[in-house]
Amino acid sequence: MLPGINTWANWDLTGQMVAWTAGTQPNYGIALVTSGSGNNKFVSSDEPTSTTLRPKLTVTFLPPCGWVPPVTAQTFTAAKDAALWETNNSRNYGASTSVILTADPDDSFIVAQFDLSGVAPGTPIQSAKLRFYTTSMTQRSGASMLLSAYAITRTWVEGTKTGSGTADGATWNRYNATNNWTTAGGDYRTPAAGRRQAGLRAE
């Protein structure tokens, strides 16, 4: 199902969750990156009223043999997130109530992290689904957008700004108030941990 307005956009992150719990990759969160023309606007982890619409990671576990119930699921709400804007490359949006994923000509990526410290290392994973609630979507006619989720490869600071004032957290250029990403727009591992298409919309 393609993501639409006022519904959840989903990414399958099962393989990435397995890597995190196995300890083969550290959990620094996920970067959402898109290609194509248009934008997707999502509820952020700082939305004060519709808290149930904040970004989520739903994980289904396979407990040791003999446990009842044999399968359990847990939903984690994003501990932090921010939009990284290419044009406003020195501004922090860590406290914004929405995050925007857009490309061509003004890129904006999303970084988000979930606190998974309560999941015991090596816990068998059946599935993991990343979910962002879409509040608006615009695209050029006849084009689709590929929305990709990548594992971030370094620590970063959410920050407390909404696009004004001196940045105290992640921006397009920096992962905290003073230090640059290795690559502007964020440091993340390729290939993508998960991908999906956004639907078409006529002009």
Side-chain angles (χ1 to χ4, degrees):
M1 178 179 177
L2 297 174
I5 298 173
N6 297 325
T7 190
W8 292 95
N10 305 313
W11 290 262
D12 182 356
L13 292 188
T14 305
Q16 186 59 54
M17 186 67 192
V18 169
W20 285 336
T21 57
T24 58
Q25 294 179 15
N27 171 25
Y28 296 129
I30 288 292
L32 295 182
V33 177
T34 188
S35 60
S37 178
N39 68 72
N40 289 258
K41 185 177 182 180
F42 305 105
V43 173
S44 86
S45 64
D46 293 283
E47 216 298 318
T49 55
S50 302
T51 57
T52 59
L53 301 182
R54 292 174 177 176
K56 303 179 186 301
L57 181 65
T58 299
V59 182
T60 303
F61 305 95
L62 294 173
C65 184
W67 279 34
V68 178
V71 176
T72 59
Q74 186 172 357
T75 296
F76 302 89
T77 302
K80 60 181 183 179
D81 59 17
L84 312 180
W85 281 92
E86 182 180 25
T87 297
N88 300 320
N89 55 35
S90 63
R91 298 182 185 180
N92 171 256
Y93 294 87
S96 296
T97 58
S98 62
V99 284
I100 295 177
L101 183 62
T102 185
D104 188 20
D106 181 19
D107 287 350
S108 173
F109 300 160
I110 297 170
V111 289
Q113 187 173 15
F114 299 81
D115 182 1
L116 304 175
S117 59
V119 181
T123 300
I125 305 297
Q126 183 181 57
S127 66
K129 181 185 292 185
L130 175 67
R131 296 185 291 160
F132 274 73
Y133 193 82
T134 310
T135 57
S136 69
M137 179 177 64
T138 60
Q139 295 171 239
R140 59 185 172 85
S141 177
S144 62
M145 296 178 71
L146 182 63
L147 313 182
S148 301
Y150 296 90
I152 298 172
T153 57
R154 69 172 316 125
T155 58
W156 52 279
V157 176
E158 180 181 32
T160 63
K161 307 300 182 181
T162 58
S164 62
T166 302
D168 59 357
T171 69
W172 181 265
N173 289 333
R174 295 177 175 177
Y175 62 86
N176 58 23
T178 57
N179 300 105
N180 290 338
W181 299 101
T182 302
T183 302
D187 299 336
Y188 49 83
R189 181 177 289 104
T190 57
R195 284 193 170 103
R196 68 167 304 129
Q197 292 281 347
L200 305 180
R201 177 172 175 170
E203 292 178 314

